């Protein structure tokens, strides 16, 4: 490997290295450059004086210690935080969208759901009784609620996720089962957390206040205890009322601790602890008028005073890395975690109130071992990754018992308006429920053993190839109780998936690539639904279980990446076609013909431009134009076709329709202008085309949906000194009334936040 390639490798705070070496494993060069940037190293300034002066000014004013970002371009990530991706992002043959810590802070968004909802190619799904409320994402038209990862390990369960301990968020578009394992049909989300480092000492406290009783306090402190040992702590306390929707409210409290210890010259250890408690009084927004097919506007808040949406996450992670040789490194990560999620929330069906409720307890264990080997075979440079993983997910879903004690105001029900459309007073105390935790209705676990082999081959100065192959062998066990009767499923299978990517460097700054990847998901594999039909859950008769096949997806992507302006600006273009086959359909999988009868396709174009347009102007832009089509579907009594094996399959007029919860056009633009060394300001705009209701992997009901929207935000920051800065965020400055997504029946629609403002002060010491 050339000396230049050595220097291009990223510093990882998870395994700080002190030895000099090659490839993936020795990253001290960037560590020295970062330290030099922060301290104004004379040696480095002599070698690259013009660049370092520019880099130093931007780093000072952003207070950003993200080791994965491009120095001097705080919106641009240079490398992935997942070390299995051995090439820089500009050389990786796949669409990977990365939001750095600076870009997230400038956006004014903190919950992961809000951050992702603004990204092109991503829409939101809703919860309900059989599909727990919590963060739920749809990437390129397909469910991704179980395709969420933290530092490369799956983060199961329907919970609320926050960004206070996140260094950057990486969104992989298209199937990536070689890395992610089962699922990842439309893509996957991987949050890279802030880790302890022996490279520097700092402490930052940020306090914010704003409209709607907003208050937020965070602490980020990294302490270098010795040359070999460091500790880092991130603390969060936040509260706000939902803008213009009082008494709906959101509260977040969390802590993330990390320690890094270079035990010997060859052995390094990292231990992490994470805790987050989220408590909401939810607002399910409006509902869709069946006559117009559009949401009812200006609806008051009808949440009941006893409503709640509470989630709690606690995880412990231990990582160990051992340098076996200059070009050979072994790493192991073990994580134990648990999540609790419970909710009783109120929706509307027309003007009649409805109750949605449930609880979920998740306990999980993951152990992942990766062996990295850089070598030369046949005269070609190979970067091998050998991976073995074991995961165990134990999930218990249940219900709440509740009784409505209030006096019904419309027959035997509760309504928010009378026959003349006049809203009742005291809407928040109509039902007056008494609530207690009820019995479990689903108790299941999934044990998975995985083996993966990946190799990145540098053929010459222009050509490189990525090859990946993965086997996931799982045992699925589920006991579902309904009406006092328990049904038990046992199901085992193996999933094989692969990934091939070829990159051709057409110039020193530009390349084109062609990629083919697959994914597979077991029926019933979504970890939040158990035996709930129609949302990824396995149900029906035990006798039909063996007839079901994994749902399989393949993706073909042709793209180009341009690393411009001295690597400060990355432009990407990708054209893709993603086909999902053997889709389980319907709410009754026991009906003849409904096993693995669905097929759909999403094709489209995605572009992005991220980094510095000039020394003063930073940009984060992405846009996606897609088309989704149901190719095959089951419905009684209409037409006949056959599957790949020649078996008859009934189809319906669902064929040719778009998918539910799918925005075919979406875009996000964020601009930041550094007017002076102290003052910066910016604007962001988020656009989404209409989204129609329905259940995942099914044809949308184009008679019910939410309209398109464009929302504008503003932000500005001022540095009083190197240590003290302030930032102002104005969200939804035009006070747009807009809707993010809708429940499949249209009974409720999520409202986007109305106009809001926050002012924060950051002090570094």
């Amino acid at each position: 490997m050339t000396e230049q390639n050595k220097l291009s490798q990223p510093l990882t705070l998870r395994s700080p290295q002190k030895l000099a070496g090659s490839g993936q494993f020795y990253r001290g060069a960037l560590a020295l450059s970062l330290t030099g940037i922060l301290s104004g190293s004379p040696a480095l300034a002599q070698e690259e004086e013009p660049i370092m002066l520019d880099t130093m000014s931007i780093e000072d004013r952003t207070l950003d210690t993200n080791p994965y970002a491009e120095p001097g371009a705080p919106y641009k990530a240079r490398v992935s935080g997942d070390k299995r991706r051995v090439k820089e992002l500009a050389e990786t043959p796949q669409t990977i969208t990365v939001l750095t810590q600076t870009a997230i802070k400038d956006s004014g968004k903190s919950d992961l759901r809000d951050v992702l909802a603004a990204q092109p190619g991503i829409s939101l799904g809703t919860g309900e009784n059989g599909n727990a409320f919590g963060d739920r994402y749809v990437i390129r038209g397909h469910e991704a609620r179980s395709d969420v990862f933290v530092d490369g390990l799956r983060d199961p369960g329907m919970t609320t996720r926050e960004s206070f301990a996140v260094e950057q968020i990486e969104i992989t578009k298209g199937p990536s089962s070689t890395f992610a394992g089962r699922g990842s049909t439309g893509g996957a989300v991987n949050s890279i957390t802030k880790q302890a480092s022996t490279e520097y000492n700092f402490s930052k406290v940020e306090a914010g206040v704003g409209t709607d009783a907003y208050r937020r306090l965070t602490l980020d402190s990294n302490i270098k205890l010795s040359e070999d040992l460091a500790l880092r702590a991130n603390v969060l306390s936040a509260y706000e009322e939902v803008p213009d929707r009082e008494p709906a409210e959101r509260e977040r409290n969390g802590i993330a601790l990390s320690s890094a210890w270079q035990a010997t010259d060859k052995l390094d250890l990292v231990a992490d602890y994470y805790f987050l408690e989220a408590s909401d009084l939810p607002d399910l927004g409006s509902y869709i008028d069946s006559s117009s097919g559009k949401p009812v506007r200006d609806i008051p808040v009808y949440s009941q005073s006893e409503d709640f949406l509470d989630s709690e996450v606690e995880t412990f992670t231990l990582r160990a890395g051992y340098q076996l040789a200059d070009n050979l490194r072994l790493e192991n990560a073990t994580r134990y975690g648990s999540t609790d999620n419970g909710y009783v929330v109120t929706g509307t069906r027309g003007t009649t109130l409805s109750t949605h409720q449930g609880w979920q307890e998740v306990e999980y264990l993951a152990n992942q071992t990766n062996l990295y080997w850089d070598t030369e075979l046949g005269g070609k440079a190979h970067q091998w990754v050998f991976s073995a993983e074991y995961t165990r997910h134990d999930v218990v879903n249940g219900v709440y018992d509740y009784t409505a004690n209030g006096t019904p105001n419309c027959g035997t029900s509760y309504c928010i308006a009378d026959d003349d459309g006049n809203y009742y007073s005291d809407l928040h105390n109509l039902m007056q429920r008494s609530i207690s935790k009820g019995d479990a209705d689903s108790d299941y676990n999934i044990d998975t053993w995985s083996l993966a082999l990946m190799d990145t081959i540098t053929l010459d100065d222009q050509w490189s190839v990525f090859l990946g192959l993965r086997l996931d062998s799982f045992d699925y066990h589920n006991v579902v109780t309904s009406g006092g009767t328990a049904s038990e499923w046992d199901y085992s299978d193996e999933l094989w998936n692969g990934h091939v990517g070829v990159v051709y460097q057409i110039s020193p700054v530009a390349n084109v690539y062609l990629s083919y990847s697959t994914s597979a998901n077991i029926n019933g594999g979504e970890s939040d639904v158990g035996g709930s039909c129609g949302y990824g859950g396995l149900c029906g008769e035990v006798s039909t279980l063996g007839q079901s096949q994994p749902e399989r997806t393949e993706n073909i992507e042709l793209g180009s990446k341009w690393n411009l302006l001295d690597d400060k600006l990355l432009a990407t273009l990708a054209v893709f076609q993603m086909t999902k086959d053997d889709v389980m359909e319907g709410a009754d999988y026991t009906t003849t013909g409904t096993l693995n009868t669905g097929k759909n396709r999403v094709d489209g174009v995605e572009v992005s431009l991220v980094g510095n347009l000039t020394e003063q102007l930073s940009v984060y832009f992405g846009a996606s134009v897609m088309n989704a089509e149901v190719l095959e579907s089951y419905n009684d009594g209409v037409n006949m076709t056959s599957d790949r094996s020649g078996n008859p399959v009934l189809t319906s007029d669902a064929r040719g329709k778009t998918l539910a919860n799918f925005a075919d056009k979406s875009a996000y633009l964020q601009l930041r202008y550094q007017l002076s060394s102290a003052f910066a300001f910016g604007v962001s705009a988020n656009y989404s085309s209409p989204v129609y209701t329905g259940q995942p992997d099914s044809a949308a009901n184009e008679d019910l949906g939410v309209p398109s929207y464009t929302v504008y935000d503003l932000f500005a920051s001022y540095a009083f000194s190197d240590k003290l800065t302030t930032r102002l965020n104005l969200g939804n400055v035009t006070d747009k009334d807009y809707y993010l997504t809708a429940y499949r029946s249209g009974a409720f629609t999520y409202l986007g936040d109305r106009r809001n403002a926050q002012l924060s002060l950051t002090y570094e010491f």
Side-chain angles (χ1 to χ4, degrees):
M1 177 173 288
T2 66
E3 192 65 22
Q4 181 180 1
N5 286 337
K6 293 179 188 178
L7 294 176
S8 71
Q9 299 303 314
L11 163 71
T12 170
L13 297 179
R14 287 166 187 71
S15 53
Q17 299 299 322
K18 296 189 175 181
L19 302 175
S22 64
Q24 172 76 18
F25 318 115
Y26 297 101
R27 295 167 179 179
L30 184 59
L32 291 174
S33 68
L34 283 172
T35 307
I37 290 167
L38 294 174
S39 63
S41 166
L44 230 62
Q46 270 185 340
E47 292 176 10
E48 302 257 0
E49 184 172 356
I51 297 176
M52 290 310 298
L53 287 173
D54 174 64
T55 300
M56 186 174 179
S57 65
I58 296 179
E59 288 292 319
D60 280 348
R61 64 181 179 246
T62 60
L63 298 175
D64 190 359
T65 59
N66 183 355
Y68 315 107
E70 186 72 54
Y75 280 7
K76 179 179 180 287
R78 188 171 66 87
V79 295
S80 168
D82 186 343
K83 289 190 291 183
R84 294 174 298 174
R85 298 189 183 276
V86 299
K87 289 284 191 179
E88 293 188 10
L89 294 171
E91 302 171 16
T92 301
Q94 189 170 14
T95 299
I96 303 178
T97 300
V98 180
L99 294 101
T100 65
Q101 179 187 162
T102 302
I104 295 170
K105 283 186 172 293
D106 280 351
S107 75
K109 299 174 174 61
S110 54
D111 276 5
L112 183 61
R113 190 190 82 156
D114 297 332
V115 173
L116 295 183
Q119 298 308 303
I122 300 180
S123 53
L124 297 180
T126 63
E128 59 152 325
N129 292 346
N131 175 53
F133 282 86
D135 289 357
R136 183 174 167 220
Y137 319 112
V138 179
I139 303 178
R140 288 184 174 175
H142 294 88
E143 279 283 359
R145 65 174 175 263
S146 291
D147 300 320
V148 181
F149 296 77
V150 174
D151 295 325
L153 295 174
R154 193 180 296 271
D155 186 42
M158 287 289 284
T159 63
T160 298
R161 296 177 172 92
E162 239 275 349
S163 63
F164 78 101
V166 168
E167 199 75 83
Q168 64 185 31
I169 298 170
E170 303 179 359
I171 309 164
T172 303
K173 304 290 183 65
S176 56
S177 284
T178 305
F179 293 90
R182 63 177 179 83
S184 71
T185 300
V189 178
N190 187 24
S191 293
I192 307 301
T193 60
K194 300 176 182 179
Q195 297 289 318
S197 172
T198 58
E199 299 301 324
Y200 38 67
N201 278 304
F202 72 86
S203 292
K204 290 188 292 187
V205 61
E206 181 173 326
V209 295
T211 59
D212 308 291
Y214 174 92
R215 60 181 184 270
R216 182 180 177 90
L217 181 66
T218 62
L219 170 69
D220 184 0
S221 180
N222 188 92
I223 302 173
K224 178 182 176 180
L225 298 176
S226 71
E227 294 301 316
D228 301 317
L229 181 63
L231 301 176
R232 189 167 184 175
N234 280 269
V235 182
L236 166 72
S237 178
Y239 171 84
E240 66 176 329
E241 295 171 353
V242 178
D244 202 32
R245 301 294 290 175
E246 186 186 356
E249 60 186 10
R250 301 183 281 244
E251 184 174 1
R252 311 281 183 264
N253 294 286
I255 184 169
L257 304 176
S258 173
S259 63
W261 179 34
Q262 189 73 40
T264 70
D265 286 344
K266 294 186 177 182
L267 175 65
D268 54 83
L269 301 172
V270 174
D272 296 338
Y273 171 75
Y274 178 84
F275 174 82
L276 178 69
E277 182 180 60
S279 300
D280 292 1
L281 175 58
D283 169 35
L284 294 193
S286 186
Y287 62 93
I288 296 179
D289 182 1
S290 58
S291 60
S292 67
K294 298 180 179 180
V296 175
R297 295 187 177 274
D298 300 320
I299 190 170
V301 181
Y302 52 83
S303 299
Q304 299 301 286
S305 58
E306 65 273 10
D307 285 5
F308 66 90
L309 169 56
D310 296 338
S311 67
E312 183 177 291
V313 181
E314 188 172 29
T315 63
F316 303 84
T317 307
L318 177 64
R319 299 177 185 272
Y322 192 81
Q323 203 71 37
L324 298 168
D326 285 353
N327 64 339
L328 190 65
R329 178 173 172 82
L330 182 67
E331 293 188 350
N332 178 267
T334 301
R335 176 177 295 160
Y336 169 78
S338 62
T339 69
D340 291 328
N341 188 46
Y343 60 93
V344 175
V345 299
T346 303
T348 62
R349 298 183 183 276
T351 60
T352 304
L353 297 182
S354 59
T355 299
H356 305 266
Q357 52 80 30
W359 57 263
Q360 177 194 97
E361 297 173 355
V362 179
E363 187 175 10
Y364 57 98
L365 175 69
N367 183 276
Q368 183 185 92
T369 300
N370 295 315
L371 178 66
Y372 301 91
W373 181 34
D374 286 5
T375 188
E376 187 173 298
L377 297 174
K380 307 301 180 185
H382 291 253
Q383 293 172 282
W384 296 91
V385 181
F386 303 88
S387 183
E389 184 175 305
Y390 168 75
T391 60
R392 178 180 178 86
H393 295 164
D394 296 319
V395 185
V396 180
N397 287 304
V399 296
Y400 285 96
D401 297 325
Y402 63 93
T403 302
N405 302 308
T407 302
N409 59 9
C410 54
T412 59
S413 302
Y414 301 88
C415 294
I416 61 175
D418 60 25
D419 293 339
D420 296 324
N422 301 310
Y423 292 112
Y424 291 109
S425 61
D426 196 22
L427 288 179
H428 313 303
N429 294 290
L430 294 177
M431 302 186 75
Q432 301 176 26
R433 307 182 194 90
S434 57
I435 302 169
S436 61
K437 189 174 182 179
D439 296 332
D441 54 23
S442 175
D443 184 354
Y444 71 104
N445 63 72
I446 305 175
D447 286 0
T448 307
W449 291 91
S450 305
L451 293 173
L453 173 63
M454 290 173 270
D455 186 19
T456 300
I457 310 167
T458 302
L459 301 176
D460 54 34
D461 291 340
Q462 291 182 300
W463 291 93
S464 65
V465 177
F466 171 78
L467 302 172
L469 183 67
R470 179 167 176 140
L471 168 66
D472 292 284
S473 177
F474 67 85
D475 292 311
Y476 175 97
H477 179 76
N478 193 0
V479 177
V480 177
T481 303
S482 178
T485 301
S487 301
E488 186 171 352
W489 288 274
D490 284 295
Y491 181 34
S492 300
D493 204 350
E494 288 77 39
L495 307 176
W496 287 93
N497 287 288
H499 193 162
V500 178
V502 179
V503 180
Y504 176 69
Q505 200 74 28
I506 58 179
S507 79
V509 300
N511 63 55
V512 293
Y513 68 87
L514 180 64
S515 177
Y516 173 83
S517 60
T518 70
S519 69
N521 196 27
I522 65 176
N523 296 311
E526 294 289 357
S527 64
D528 66 294
V529 291
S532 176
C533 303
Y535 277 98
L538 190 63
C539 57
E541 299 294 336
V542 176
S543 59
T544 66
L545 183 60
Q547 301 174 28
S548 62
Q549 300 295 321
E551 299 177 316
R552 301 188 179 277
T553 307
E554 63 177 19
N555 183 67
I556 301 173
E557 181 170 305
L558 175 65
S560 181
K561 297 185 178 183
W562 295 66
N563 218 5
L564 305 170
L565 302 181
D566 197 22
D567 295 341
K568 296 297 190 292
L569 182 69
L570 179 63
T572 69
L573 167 67
V575 181
F576 63 89
Q577 181 180 88
M578 186 169 62
T579 305
K580 185 174 184 180
D581 210 344
D582 293 320
V583 179
M584 291 282 276
E585 290 190 283
D588 184 3
Y589 296 159
T590 63
T591 302
T592 302
T594 60
L595 288 169
N596 304 112
T597 51
K599 183 177 182 179
N600 57 61
R601 176 171 292 159
V602 177
D603 50 46
V605 179
E606 185 161 338
V607 297
S608 71
L609 188 66
V610 180
N612 290 356
L613 293 171
T614 69
E615 184 178 337
Q616 291 79 28
L617 182 61
S618 298
V619 62
Y620 180 94
F621 169 73
S624 178
V625 178
M626 301 181 290
N627 177 66
E629 182 181 3
V630 176
L631 301 178
E632 297 176 9
S633 180
Y634 171 86
N635 203 322
D636 287 335
V638 184
N639 298 329
M640 183 76 71
T641 184
S642 55
D643 63 15
R644 291 177 300 180
S645 303
N647 300 316
V649 175
L650 293 174
T651 63
S652 70
D653 58 0
R655 288 192 300 170
K657 288 189 174 181
T658 190
L659 291 172
N661 302 121
F662 174 79
D664 58 3
K665 300 180 184 67
S666 54
Y668 182 74
L669 172 65
Q670 185 169 308
L671 291 171
R672 171 194 174 100
Y673 187 76
Q674 194 75 35
L675 184 64
S676 69
S677 60
F679 180 64
F681 64 93
V683 60
S684 65
N686 176 27
Y687 168 78
S688 173
S689 61
V691 173
Y692 299 102
T693 65
Q695 67 185 40
D697 292 318
S698 69
N701 180 357
E702 297 184 27
D703 293 329
L704 301 176
V706 297
S708 63
Y709 63 83
T710 304
V711 178
Y712 300 95
D713 302 331
L714 298 175
F715 62 91
S717 64
Y718 186 81
F720 298 100
S721 68
D722 291 342
K723 302 293 185 180
L724 183 64
T725 62
T726 186
R727 187 180 65 253
L728 175 66
N729 288 96
L730 300 176
N732 193 0
V733 292
T734 62
D735 206 23
K736 175 75 172 180
D737 191 6
Y738 69 105
Y739 308 88
L740 298 169
T741 190
Y743 178 57
R744 58 182 176 178
S745 70
F748 54 84
T749 63
Y750 288 169
L751 279 168
D753 283 355
R754 299 297 294 269
R755 184 162 49 213
N756 58 91
Q758 300 88 37
L759 179 67
S760 63
L761 194 67
T762 301
Y763 180 67
E764 182 174 0
F765 56 95

